[in-house]
Amino acid sequence: MDILLIEDDLIEVMKLKRTVSKLNLKHSIVEAKNGESALTYLRSGEKLPDIILLDLNMPRMNGIEFLSILKEDEQLRYLPTIILTTSENRADLLKCYEVGIAGYVIKPLKYEDYEYKLNAVLEYWSVNQLVKG
């Protein structure tokens, strides 16, 4: 799968890459540090990702703002977007599902739990019929 990771925290980016490598998953990961740069990439004519992993708490454009723009775009609205966040705020959760996310995963503190959750998410999406860009 081609994954677009929208995350501003370098440690979180490294953690995701480490997990994908450790689990010997053959996914390719494109990084964007915020919603604005992610939209620029998505609209650049490059191959679209199969899924998007999105952090909520980012500078410039937060995850919910990004989601709202994404879901209004005729071409991009079908990209499965999974929230990968530390936010346990119920209002965030409800807003994300209202806008149209495919999943909401809270980043656990323990690396082993993170690895388990991420593996489950990627396995699930690996067997889904995805809209190819």
Side-chain angles (χ1 to χ4, degrees):
M1 278 189 313
D2 295 320
I3 301 167
L4 173 59
L5 172 63
I6 308 171
E7 172 65 67
D8 64 318
D9 185 335
L10 184 58
I11 292 171
E12 290 296 328
V13 171
M14 290 176 11
K15 189 164 65 171
L16 183 125
K17 286 182 170 184
R18 175 182 170 205
T19 301
V20 168
S21 176
K22 183 178 177 189
L23 295 172
N24 203 25
L25 303 173
K26 302 298 182 202
H27 306 304
S28 67
I29 301 168
V30 172
E31 302 168 40
K33 295 192 182 329
N34 59 55
E36 289 177 354
S37 61
L39 287 171
T40 300
Y41 171 78
L42 290 169
R43 293 175 174 156
S44 71
E46 295 287 327
K47 182 180 176 206
L48 291 175
D50 296 308
I51 65 170
I52 297 171
L53 298 177
L54 173 65
D55 184 29
L56 287 184
N57 302 313
M58 295 180 295
R60 303 178 100 177
M61 176 188 294
N62 71 34
I64 293 174
E65 292 168 324
F66 169 82
L67 270 174
S68 298
I69 294 167
L70 183 81
K71 294 305 179 179
E72 290 173 2
D73 187 293
E74 290 295 321
Q75 183 182 9
L76 304 177
R77 72 171 37 157
Y78 301 104
L79 294 172
T81 304
I82 299 96
I83 304 301
L84 195 57
T85 186
T86 56
S87 176
E88 297 185 43
N89 182 326
R90 183 163 170 76
D92 286 346
L93 175 72
L94 294 174
K95 183 63 179 172
C96 288
Y97 274 110
E98 179 184 308
V99 175
I101 60 166
Y104 194 101
V105 178
I106 296 173
K107 299 175 197 170
L109 295 176
K110 288 178 52 182
Y111 176 75
E112 294 78 21
D113 295 337
Y114 176 87
E115 187 178 281
Y116 171 79
K117 283 186 173 188
L118 191 63
N119 189 45
V121 167
L122 296 177
E123 278 188 6
Y124 174 81
W125 287 103
S126 292
V127 298
N128 268 273
Q129 186 63 38
L130 299 168
V131 177
K132 299 290 182 177

